[in-house]
Amino acid sequence: MEFKTGKTLLQLCKDNDLPISEAMLLREMEISQLGREEIFNKMSHSWDIMKNSARDALKGNLKSMGGLIGGEAVKLTGRRLSGEASACGQLVSKAISYAMGVLEVNSSMGLIVAAPTAGSSGVIPGTFLALQEEYRFTDEQMVMALFTAGAIGYLITFNATIAGAEGGCQAEVGSASAMAAAAVTELLGGSQEACLQAATSAISNLLGLVCDPIGGLVEAPCQQRNAIGVSNAMICAEIALSGIRNVVPFDEAVDVMYRVGKALPGELRETALGGMAAAPSACTLCGLCN
């Protein structure tokens, strides 16, 4: 049940009449030599942590280690519940509040799931939890969707990178957004090919995104980029579900992302020496160079 490219994954799914989620679950069973229930329960545990991390920030009183973020999820939720006109709609507003909240939990040393990294840990929980609440998906459906996301994350990790220090934020938030986009597409009834189309769009839309954490902390601008990752995932799922195709296939998009990441200057790959991290105001906040 092994696959190392998107093309191979699609063929495997076609030959065995499987959704991507099921193919990934069977792969995990084969590799780990564990039973289906045990593998599912391990993923279910991750889902529980994700839900808790998305909601914990709404309780307030979280203080990040660097003091750069805190309280954003509460503010977003307050505006959404106020009845004021929304610039992006209730679903997306809820999703970005959850996503940004996870970064608050992470930066205050709370428990999160690095999916695929701590810096991008809000994208999948934010997207998934908002959709679950909107469409009443069961926890079992959400756990299976995590296997879909996992398949995309595995392919990106195997063929490129998810590390900001190696590929910039496109490798972190971009990968998380691609994972979420594919999972949402399957959840809403899209084909296996549509899932990869959504992931391709997500990668393409965030191509070249730099990693420039202010003060070297996973706080700003990381938190708001998770909100972008959520929005991008939902947009790309909608595009794919509408039958719109990409000119470049998934495997080539992953390779392009890897090459673009390698081409980024070192200052723009998690060193906090360039980008927003090098802005005068950011340097003042950081104080490390003073």
Side-chain angles (χ1 to χ4, degrees), residues 159-171:
N159 294 290
T161 182
I162 57 168
E166 188 176 14
C169 196
Q170 59 164 10

Side-chain angles (χ1 to χ4, degrees), residues 8-9 39-40 100 109 138 158 160 169 174 226-227 252 261:
T8 304
L9 172 60
I39 293 292
F40 185 90
M100 292 176 69
M109 300 296 104
T138 65
F158 186 85
C169 196
N226 276 255
E252 290 184 24

